[in-house]
Amino acid sequence: MGRRAGRPVSGLIAAAVTAVLALSGCSADRDPVDAVTALAEETHPGQLRLVTVRRAPADGAAEVVFALDDDPDAAVVVNVGGAPDSTVDEEDLRSAVRAARERADRYRTLVAAFRPCGYSLVAVHEIGQPSHEEVWIAADDAGPLDRTPLRLQPCREDWRFPGQDAAPGVNLVDASVLAGLAAPDPELPPVLRVTERHLDAALKETFHHTVEVWPAAAATPPAHAGRVRPVWPAKEWQTIAQTLRAWIDEWLDESGVAHVSGLEVYEQRWLIPGTSREMRYYEAVCTERETSWRCVGPMVGVAAVTVDLDDLSVSAPRLITDIRQWRDIPANRPLEPELAAAVR
């Protein structure tokens, strides 16, 4: 981290001097960071407090972070170049302040939305961006994982974007995992703590669950209010998936089913209702050589197997033959509606 909160009076005087030098034409060698802090004091006197400066080692560019005096949740982030002539004008700064207020509002919305359902907000990726926002939550208790969609249903509409059909992706992380991660700097404003890049990257490299909460839950069986999908770090999952595909290929060969092996064109996985350590895994089975993302011609169907998450053993294989085209794959419901009873 660079400069810290609580800038001393001498720092404010230095900023004022920088501004005077700029007006007098003596600013050729001024530091862009000093220039933007001087501009902040000039345009928002007493409202912006310098929190930290993060410099890029390669080119000297910097991310300058201010706290807002009247909004303790907000973080005003201004990016400046490393060259002496890099500038940020008044409108750029005011735009950064507006964006900070919007992000803080969104942060409060998410915290307030998940809390009544028993979850705390851990991290947010691309906060405020409907098509890219992704949230990480942790349960306040050790309730059953497969019940997560049902628990989230009552507050589902509270985290959607107003006037849009978009809702963030939701990831559930175990509280024990958080204890092993580097904690964000407590001096940063809250919205910056949950959007720290290193936290988002670290969470993606841990085992977690992605949660899909489906609409109209009242019209479906409680177990099918959504899906909880186990997620491994990318490299680890690649190894696991290869093992599962090999098992399915061998099972299909023994069953005498003609198929193309080594598929990577379609797969689904979700936690079996009523369990916390069993996953149902689905893989497309093609009749002809597949393209990079789908079968050529009709599908043989979809192979389904149960995977024990403790030892990755495989059981209960089934070939779903009524799915022969991509359009036959059901949306927003399990491939096997009777799954809860069928695999026990």
Side-chain angles (χ1 to χ4, degrees):
M1 294 290 180
R3 308 177 189 197
R4 291 287 176 189
R7 188 174 190 182
V9 174
S10 59
L12 295 176
I13 294 175
V17 171
T18 301
V20 171
L21 290 174
L23 292 174
S24 64
C26 299
S27 58
D29 297 324
R30 67 178 179 180
D31 178 26
V33 172
D34 287 336
V36 76
T37 52
L39 180 65
E41 184 62 26
E42 177 187 344
T43 59
H44 299 75
Q47 297 180 45
L48 298 179
R49 174 174 53 84
L50 184 64
V51 175
T52 188
V53 177
R54 306 174 181 185
R55 290 191 181 274
D59 58 7
E63 186 180 72
V64 187
V65 180
F66 298 95
L68 265 175
D69 182 62
D70 62 352
D71 190 340
D73 292 325
V76 179
V77 180
V78 182
N79 293 296
V80 298
D85 59 352
S86 298
T87 60
V88 174
D89 62 25
E90 183 176 339
E91 182 50 38
D92 291 334
L93 184 57
R94 294 191 184 281
S95 177
V97 171
R98 288 193 296 271
R101 295 190 186 280
E102 291 170 0
R103 287 194 299 268
D105 286 342
R106 179 63 179 164
Y107 164 76
R108 286 186 285 267
T109 294
L110 291 171
V111 170
F114 287 106
R115 185 185 294 124
C117 288
Y119 298 90
S120 56
L121 186 68
V122 173
V124 190
H125 175 73
E126 296 289 349
I127 188 168
Q129 303 300 316
S131 59
H132 296 95
E133 187 176 277
E134 191 173 3
V135 303
W136 297 81
I137 59 175
D140 295 340
D141 57 42
L145 288 174
D146 67 299
R147 300 284 291 177
T148 305
L150 197 62
R151 289 179 59 179
L152 287 174
Q153 277 289 342
C155 55
R156 180 179 186 274
E157 297 303 319
D158 295 338
W159 74 72
R160 298 176 72 86
F161 289 90
Q164 300 189 45
D165 194 36
V170 179
N171 296 309
L172 180 65
V173 62
D174 191 276
S176 63
V177 171
L178 299 177
L181 301 179
D185 187 342
E187 292 187 24
L188 295 176
V191 74
L192 210 58
R193 285 180 232 156
V194 299
T195 56
E196 280 280 72
R197 298 185 190 93
H198 82 269
L199 178 59
D200 181 60
L203 287 169
K204 288 178 180 176
E205 287 304 309
T206 64
F207 176 78
H208 59 277
H209 294 86
T210 293
V211 184
E212 295 178 16
V213 181
W214 297 338
T220 61
H224 297 154
R227 178 173 70 171
V228 180
R229 184 168 70 96
V231 180
W232 287 262
K235 289 184 179 180
E236 187 177 351
W237 170 245
Q238 186 176 20
T239 301
I240 294 171
Q242 288 173 348
T243 301
L244 295 179
R245 291 182 184 116
W247 194 98
I248 290 172
D249 278 343
E250 184 177 348
W251 173 69
L252 290 172
D253 288 340
E254 292 176 353
S255 303
V257 177
H259 68 287
V260 175
S261 63
L263 298 179
E264 296 183 7
V265 293
Y266 166 81
E267 61 93 2
Q268 277 194 24
R269 54 196 124 124
W270 64 296
L271 206 62
I272 295 175
T275 76
S276 291
R277 303 302 301 171
E278 285 189 318
M279 170 183 79
R280 195 65 169 165
Y281 174 76
Y282 299 97
E283 178 187 298
V285 181
C286 295
T287 57
E288 301 177 48
R289 178 58 57 188
E290 75 279 6
T291 65
S292 61
W293 63 282
R294 63 166 45 189
C295 297
V296 175
M299 298 164 56
V300 176
V302 174
V305 296
T306 293
V307 182
D308 187 304
L309 300 186
D310 290 319
D311 60 12
L312 298 180
S313 59
V314 183
S315 62
R318 174 187 179 187
L319 183 63
I320 304 171
T321 57
D322 57 345
I323 298 179
R324 304 300 302 276
Q325 303 288 343
W326 295 101
R327 63 174 178 268
D328 296 334
I329 298 175
N332 286 344
R333 66 178 177 84
L335 295 186
E336 302 167 285
E338 75 284 10
L339 179 63
V343 299
R344 293 180 182 177

